[in-house]
Amino acid sequence: MKFSTKGRYGLTIMVALGKQYGEGPHALRQIASEHSLSEAYLEQIVSPLRNAGLVKSVRGAYGGYMLSKAPNEITAGDVIRVLEGPIQIVEGIEEEAPPQRELWMRIRDAVKNVLDTTTIEDLAKYSEENPDTKGYMFYI
């Protein structure tokens, strides 16, 4: 499973808006500048987020985008599903032999669990200097 730049940049937008939550609209121009991204590409990405009700837009000189819900009410899974579609590890899983099908389903469920339990607030509050001590640990 590989997430495209659409999903990655979508999370970048949401985290930036999450950090500014409660401070009014945030211009995409500023997010693009802060992260060295194309403003035109961010405009394309934010449209489905707005249509899904995750962000709302404010027009005018001091306009921009803001989260439509509190950052702790929006998960990374919400964003990824809007921008990338359903979370699938492999296609044609039903055609696999039972042991492989079980493996792919367990991996899919683990990925879904991480995405669905990680909120925009979690991502916005993260810092490399002070990572959350309850971080994820995976053993393979």
Side-chain angles (χ1 to χ4, degrees):
M1 167 173 228
K2 190 174 182 180
F3 294 118
S4 69
T5 56
K6 194 174 189 179
R8 292 179 21 234
Y9 292 178
L11 280 173
T12 299
I13 293 168
M14 297 298 284
V15 170
L17 296 177
K19 288 180 179 179
Q20 303 292 323
Y21 185 72
E23 298 177 12
H26 197 62
L28 279 187
R29 181 181 315 107
Q30 186 176 359
I31 296 171
S33 174
E34 290 169 359
H35 297 279
S36 301
L37 302 173
S38 163
E39 182 181 355
Y41 191 43
L42 295 188
E43 286 284 353
Q44 292 175 16
I45 294 170
V46 81
S47 181
L49 295 172
R50 188 184 68 245
N51 292 340
L54 298 178
V55 299
K56 56 185 173 182
S57 61
V58 177
R59 293 181 177 249
Y62 299 102
Y65 292 90
M66 50 201 282
L67 297 180
S68 60
K69 299 185 245 180
N72 65 346
E73 296 177 11
I74 303 170
T75 67
D78 296 333
V79 177
I80 294 299
R81 283 184 188 88
V82 166
L83 297 173
E84 301 279 356
I87 297 165
Q88 293 181 321
I89 302 301
V90 294
E91 291 184 25
I93 194 171
E94 47 292 319
E95 297 169 11
E96 294 281 341
Q100 290 93 330
R101 183 174 48 238
E102 178 65 22
L103 172 66
W104 299 133
M105 288 177 11
R106 287 174 54 201
I107 292 170
R108 179 202 62 207
D109 293 345
V111 170
K112 282 183 178 182
N113 183 53
V114 170
L115 291 172
D116 290 339
T117 59
T118 304
T119 66
I120 297 303
E121 180 179 56
D122 296 333
L123 296 171
K125 287 185 174 179
Y126 180 86
S127 73
E128 288 186 37
E129 294 81 33
N130 188 19
D132 185 358
T133 56
K134 299 182 295 184
Y136 300 106
M137 179 63 72
F138 295 100
Y139 297 97
I140 299 176

